[in-house]
Amino acid sequence: MRTRKVTLVHMGDSITFGQYIDPALRWTSLIADRLRRHAVSRCLEIDSHNRGISGETTRMGLERYPKDVQELSPDVMTLQFGLNDCNCWQTDRGVPRVSESAFKANLLEMIVRARRFGARHIILSTNHRTLRRDPMISGEVYEEANARYSDLIRAVAREAAVTLCDIQAVFKPFSDEELARMLLPAPDQLHLSVEGNRVYADAIWPFILAAVEAAAEQPTKGDPRI
């Protein structure tokens, strides 16, 4: 049986990158390990790429999109942004780093571009809850802005007809004590801990597995049947 290659790209910010966590324990690495074990029995070669960069907004992600996504022509892409987009800096006088309308437009453009370069399966994720509850310079509590931008992500998933992995809903039932274990300790209270990365991996794994399986069953890119 011929080995089928599937290219998977994880595009996002520090949550995709796995900031402050041992590379082997990041959720993207946990997924890669599961995929390697799964591929053995399926005659698959999974080519995984982590293209998360800490501190980035969707605007910044689009700037590097040609190199980090388009050149790879992924079969499957996970897409995660928003924790920086919704934030407000003193230098912006309380305006979000990326407005709601621009955030939606940027995600939609990423999806359109990924499809143009061969992505057949796109998994768009909302963002987990945090314990950042102090008001930002805008007067809004950070976590309220985070929740609002996750609602925008859900709207984009519906509009673009892509798979939604509702990470926010997965983290919603956790008590503050449980959530604290999922996050790095104060003053961070935003980035995922080792335990949080495991929970994230468990949540997104079924969607990635289904996408990889579906991509493996489809004709190879360049096949005249496409």
Side-chain angles (χ1 to χ4, degrees):
M1 182 181 295
R2 182 172 62 88
T3 299
R4 174 74 166 88
K5 180 179 179 180
V6 175
T7 300
L8 167 64
V9 171
H10 300 291
M11 181 64 174
D13 58 30
S14 58
I15 301 306
T16 295
F17 172 73
Q19 188 163 330
Y20 305 128
I21 298 298
D22 184 314
L25 301 178
R26 297 168 183 171
W27 71 262
T28 52
S29 299
L30 300 178
I31 292 296
D33 288 342
R34 295 183 190 185
L35 287 173
R36 276 192 291 271
R37 293 194 296 270
H38 176 75
V40 171
S41 62
R42 296 282 286 112
C43 291
L44 289 175
E45 177 187 347
I46 313 296
D47 189 17
S48 296
H49 302 267
N50 185 335
R51 291 297 183 262
I53 293 186
S54 298
E56 278 205 343
T57 65
T58 49
R59 183 178 294 118
M60 298 160 75
L62 272 173
E63 288 297 313
R64 63 182 173 89
Y65 210 77
K67 181 178 185 299
D68 283 356
V69 176
Q70 293 169 194
E71 285 186 9
L72 293 170
S73 295
D75 299 287
V76 179
M77 182 181 74
T78 65
L79 184 58
Q80 174 275 317
F81 278 100
L83 290 170
N84 298 303
D85 297 75
C86 75
N87 202 1
C88 297
W89 285 358
Q90 182 79 32
T91 51
D92 292 324
R93 298 186 180 180
V95 175
R97 291 183 65 189
V98 176
S99 69
E100 293 185 20
S101 59
F103 179 65
K104 287 185 64 178
N106 291 342
L107 288 177
L108 287 167
E109 182 171 350
M110 288 185 187
I111 292 167
V112 168
R113 285 178 173 272
R115 284 172 168 162
R116 179 63 62 92
F117 283 83
R120 293 157 170 162
H121 306 277
I122 297 170
I123 301 162
L124 179 61
S125 297
T126 57
N127 286 299
H128 62 276
R129 292 171 53 227
T130 78
L131 288 172
R132 291 195 176 182
R133 295 169 181 166
D134 292 333
M136 299 182 288
I137 184 176
S138 63
E140 183 179 24
V141 171
Y142 176 85
E143 186 51 35
E144 293 175 357
N146 178 28
R148 190 174 70 257
Y149 274 60
S150 278
D151 284 339
L152 297 174
I153 292 167
R154 295 183 184 99
V156 169
R158 290 191 296 268
E159 182 175 342
V162 298
T163 299
L164 177 70
C165 178
D166 201 338
I167 293 292
Q168 187 193 46
V170 171
F171 278 73
K172 185 176 181 179
F174 294 141
S175 66
D176 281 2
E177 182 179 351
E178 291 169 325
L179 184 58
R181 295 200 306 269
M182 307 294 165
L183 305 174
L184 296 182
D188 189 293
Q189 296 185 308
L190 181 146
H191 294 98
L192 296 171
S193 65
V194 170
E195 185 174 353
N197 272 272
R198 287 198 297 267
V199 171
Y200 199 112
D202 288 342
I204 202 169
W205 166 246
F207 299 101
I208 293 178
L209 178 61
V212 167
E213 285 284 350
E217 295 298 325
Q218 292 175 310
T220 304
K221 294 170 187 175
D223 190 312
R225 291 175 295 168
I226 296 178

